[in-house]
Amino acid sequence: MADRMDECSSSQTLQSNRPSISHAFHVNLPSPHHFNADDGIPYATRYAEWKSTQIVNIVQTMTLNSEMFVAGAAGTTLDDADADVGPDDEEINIDGDTNENKLTLLTLSGKCRQLQGLMHGLDGLKWLGLTRLELSDIVLHLLKLLTATITLSSDRTDVTIHYESVGYKRFIKDMVTASNSDSKGKYDQQQQLLAPSLESLENELHNQTFALPAYIRESLLSSLIDLLSNKGPLRSVSNNALFPTNINACLNDSNDPRFLLIVHWKCMLRLLLRTSPQLNEHLPAELPNSSASYVTLIVKRTVELIRHVRHFFDQSISLQKDGDKMKTIVSDTTALQVWEMTKPSLMKETHTMSCYRALTIIYLFTPTRCSSQFYNTMIPIYLDCWSTIDRFPDLDFLYLNLICRARKHASPGPWKTALCKQLLTQCQYWLT
């Protein structure tokens, strides 16, 4: 027994004198609590910088060219994409193209899957390693690829690629006005804007199809949803951004200038109508190229993407001087255009598919941040339209969602009494 105790004590002495060896977990799977002994920077920060650099480089190499869609080109059909070929099998380089130095739809699909893998590696980290400017550029570039369309000749030898104007970045120096202007006059001026009709938008969809096949668009949708679902990094560039009253500090900051990411809502509406043409009940149905479940998946992810992008629609937010301070003015550009487009269907074509489609478009494309004047005008209209149709749970959900958004910005008024009456009227039906 004594010999065994002496043996144990000697082994413990050897272990205590042995130099500490860092575990592979500290380097490969970093934690914010593990710091590099050389520079004191957490391993997680270095890990995020490495991943973010790869993400920026791979997004810059994701481009379209006419050779991808020419008949007979490799990797241009769905059958080629269904083959079990991944980024590792083809050795896709982040800084360039494939081994053949030729980007095809198949290699573009591999880049999309590689991008998804890199973005999933940043999940759970408090710092993504990407600046607001880099995130905004990535979102705009992926939206440009997602909404691109092509026009093919009859023999598939002449290909024209069409890119949508998806959006831009509006810097704070372009938002500041020298003097106050009448907000009521600006509101009336915006209300007189000619909003596009659904028919005019649908006429633009003919003779142009999506450039990318369904399997690549599904990957791009997933990547965009992953980026936009994390609202923290991009909240300061959305239409929900808050600006300080002393704006000089933001104007003089040349290292990290404030800006807003603007996405055009008409581009997103065309994306929805191309993805789900059955929204127009008058158009003949087309034969699907994929299974019904896969088509449904793409439609659901497109709707989810629009719900996230809604926070970046242009509301013509401006900063106006009020003495020594600045105040934020919301002109409701997108909200008014969406309402003018859908108002005839919602108010005059009740009990039809057009009414439900118009309400769905209002729900998806109206930004939450609108002026109190806009919501004070719209809430009574919502309640009147809601009372014309009963026993429709989906429609009840849409109206409740719109009113819940409005209560954050609307002024108190008699609409609350009308809302309580409407809710009590519907409660008996909901509970049965």
Side-chain angles (χ1 to χ4, degrees), residues 239-240 310-311 315 365-371 374-375 401 404-406 408-409:
N239 51 35
N240 293 321
R310 182 173 60 88
H311 301 287
Q315 285 287 77
F365 292 92
T366 302
T368 300
R369 187 179 185 182
C370 298
S371 64
F374 174 81
Y375 279 127
N401 193 290
C404 285
R405 296 178 192 173
K408 304 174 185 178
H409 304 276

Side-chain angles (χ1 to χ4, degrees), residues 141-188:
H141 186 74
L142 294 183
L143 285 176
K144 180 181 177 181
L145 295 177
L146 180 65
T147 57
T149 57
I150 58 172
T151 303
L152 293 173
S153 60
S154 57
D155 54 354
R156 292 180 60 92
T157 57
D158 186 13
V159 180
T160 304
I161 303 177
H162 308 276
Y163 292 105
E164 295 272 5
S165 177
V166 293
Y168 61 97
K169 297 183 292 292
R170 179 187 297 168
F171 287 89
I172 192 171
K173 62 181 181 180
D174 301 326
M175 300 168 54
V176 179
T177 56
S179 60
N180 270 328
S181 60
D182 186 10
S183 59
K184 180 64 170 60
K186 181 177 289 188
Y187 182 87
D188 294 338

Side-chain angles (χ1 to χ4, degrees), residues 104-380:
T104 63
L105 290 180
L106 186 59
T107 58
L108 181 61
S109 175
K111 288 178 180 290
C112 292
R113 292 195 295 268
Q114 192 174 9
L115 177 62
Q116 283 184 283
L118 292 172
M119 292 175 56
H120 287 312
L122 296 178
D123 291 345
L125 298 180
K126 295 182 179 179
W127 186 62
L128 297 179
L130 294 168
T131 63
R132 293 176 299 184
L133 194 61
E134 289 174 340
L135 284 172
S136 302
D137 290 336
I138 290 174
V139 170
L140 291 177
H141 186 74
L142 294 183
L143 285 176
K144 180 181 177 181
L145 295 177
L146 180 65
T147 57
T149 57
I150 58 172
T151 303
L152 293 173
S153 60
S154 57
D155 54 354
R156 292 180 60 92
T157 57
D158 186 13
V159 180
T160 304
I161 303 177
H162 308 276
Y163 292 105
E164 295 272 5
S165 177
V166 293
Y168 61 97
K169 297 183 292 292
R170 179 187 297 168
F171 287 89
I172 192 171
K173 62 181 181 180
D174 301 326
M175 300 168 54
V176 179
T177 56
S179 60
N180 270 328
S181 60
D182 186 10
S183 59
K184 180 64 170 60
K186 181 177 289 188
Y187 182 87
D188 294 338
Q189 182 180 2
Q190 293 289 347
Q191 207 167 18
Q192 295 174 359
L193 290 175
L194 294 177
S197 62
L198 285 176
E199 290 76 11
S200 63
L201 287 173
E202 289 168 353
N203 291 334
E204 299 177 6
L205 308 181
H206 296 298
N207 302 325
Q208 292 183 10
T209 58
F210 281 118
L212 298 176
Y215 62 94
I216 298 182
R217 287 191 289 115
E218 191 270 335
S219 298
L220 291 176
L221 286 170
S222 300
S223 300
L224 283 168
I225 291 172
D226 290 340
L227 278 175
L228 298 175
S229 59
N230 186 6
K231 295 181 173 57
L234 289 175
R235 188 182 299 275
S236 60
V237 299
S238 67
N239 51 35
N240 293 321
L242 300 177
F243 298 93
T245 55
N246 184 10
I247 206 66
N248 294 326
C250 295
L251 291 175
N252 297 329
D253 189 3
S254 58
N255 296 327
D256 188 16
R258 289 290 303 272
F259 65 93
L260 291 181
L261 174 61
I262 304 299
V263 178
H264 297 310
W265 71 273
K266 298 176 186 177
C267 176
M268 294 294 102
L269 180 57
R270 284 192 288 268
L271 172 65
L272 178 63
L273 294 177
R274 282 195 179 97
T275 305
S276 181
Q278 62 268 23
L279 286 175
N280 186 355
E281 68 276 13
H282 301 292
L283 291 179
E286 298 180 358
L287 293 176
N289 296 325
S290 306
S291 63
S293 60
Y294 197 70
V295 172
T296 304
L297 175 64
I298 293 179
V299 172
K300 287 182 178 180
R301 291 191 175 176
T302 303
V303 172
E304 186 177 358
L305 173 64
I306 294 174
R307 290 180 59 188
H308 292 304
V309 175
R310 182 173 60 88
H311 301 287
F312 303 96
F313 289 156
D314 185 17
Q315 285 287 77
S316 295
I317 298 177
S318 61
L319 303 174
Q320 296 183 355
K321 293 184 179 180
D322 186 10
D324 297 334
K325 298 182 179 180
M326 288 282 183
K327 64 178 181 179
T328 305
I329 304 297
V330 183
S331 301
D332 309 319
T333 301
T334 298
L336 290 170
Q337 289 180 354
V338 172
W339 169 245
E340 290 296 326
M341 182 185 68
T342 56
K343 178 172 65 174
S345 300
L346 187 65
M347 301 185 67
K348 299 179 181 179
E349 300 180 11
T350 57
H351 298 83
T352 63
M353 178 65 184
S354 300
C355 178
Y356 185 70
R357 179 181 59 207
L359 185 60
T360 304
I361 291 176
I362 293 176
Y363 163 74
L364 289 177
F365 292 92
T366 302
T368 300
R369 187 179 185 182
C370 298
S371 64
S372 58
Q373 187 176 8
F374 174 81
Y375 279 127
N376 292 336
T377 304
M378 294 306 303
I379 289 181

Side-chain angles (χ1 to χ4, degrees), residues 26-47:
H26 294 172
V27 180
N28 296 330
L29 299 174
S31 171
H33 303 291
H34 301 141
F35 294 85
N36 191 342
D38 298 332
D39 52 13
I41 299 177
Y43 286 117
T45 303
R46 295 296 189 191
Y47 180 77

